[in-house]
């Protein structure tokens, strides 16, 4: 079970862990509330999750482009 959890934490965009780091809350607690809210609202938070995942990936690409020393050659 621990290996599955680690795999999902690394591969599932990192949205919950990014929110948890920023707010100082455990990412497992955020995931739990995300699941509860998804069931109560029939899945609409999934759309918000995908938007946040897209936002985080774009931010990472922009930051990586700024730090790339080979880009300026």
């Amino acid at each position: 079970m621990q290996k599955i959890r680690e795999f999902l934490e690394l591969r599932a965009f990192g949205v919950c862990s990014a929110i948890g780091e920023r707010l100082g809350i455990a990412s497992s607690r955020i995931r739990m509330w995300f699941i509860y809210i998804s069931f109560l609202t029939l899945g609409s938070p999934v759309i918000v999750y995908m938007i946040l995942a897209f936002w985080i990936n774009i931010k990472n690409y922009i930051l990586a482009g700024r730090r790339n020393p080979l880009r300026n050659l």
Side-chain angles (χ1 to χ4, degrees):
M1 189 65 169
Q2 185 66 21
K3 288 185 180 186
I4 295 171
R5 181 178 176 188
E6 290 173 2
F7 176 78
L8 289 175
E9 286 178 1
L10 290 175
R11 304 289 182 206
F13 303 116
V15 173
C16 292
S17 53
I19 293 171
E21 288 176 9
R22 193 166 285 262
L23 296 177
I25 302 171
S27 61
S28 61
R29 179 73 64 176
I30 292 173
R31 284 185 194 97
M32 180 182 66
W33 282 105
F34 178 78
I35 292 169
Y36 290 157
I37 292 171
S38 293
F39 282 128
L40 290 174
T41 60
L42 302 174
S44 62
V46 173
I47 296 168
V48 174
Y49 185 88
M50 294 308 241
I51 292 170
L52 289 173
F54 177 75
W55 186 275
I56 289 172
N57 283 334
I58 292 297
K59 183 184 79 166
N60 290 339
Y61 285 129
I62 291 171
L63 291 176
R66 288 184 187 167
R67 294 183 190 147
N68 188 356
L70 297 177
R71 188 177 123 214
N72 296 329
L73 290 178

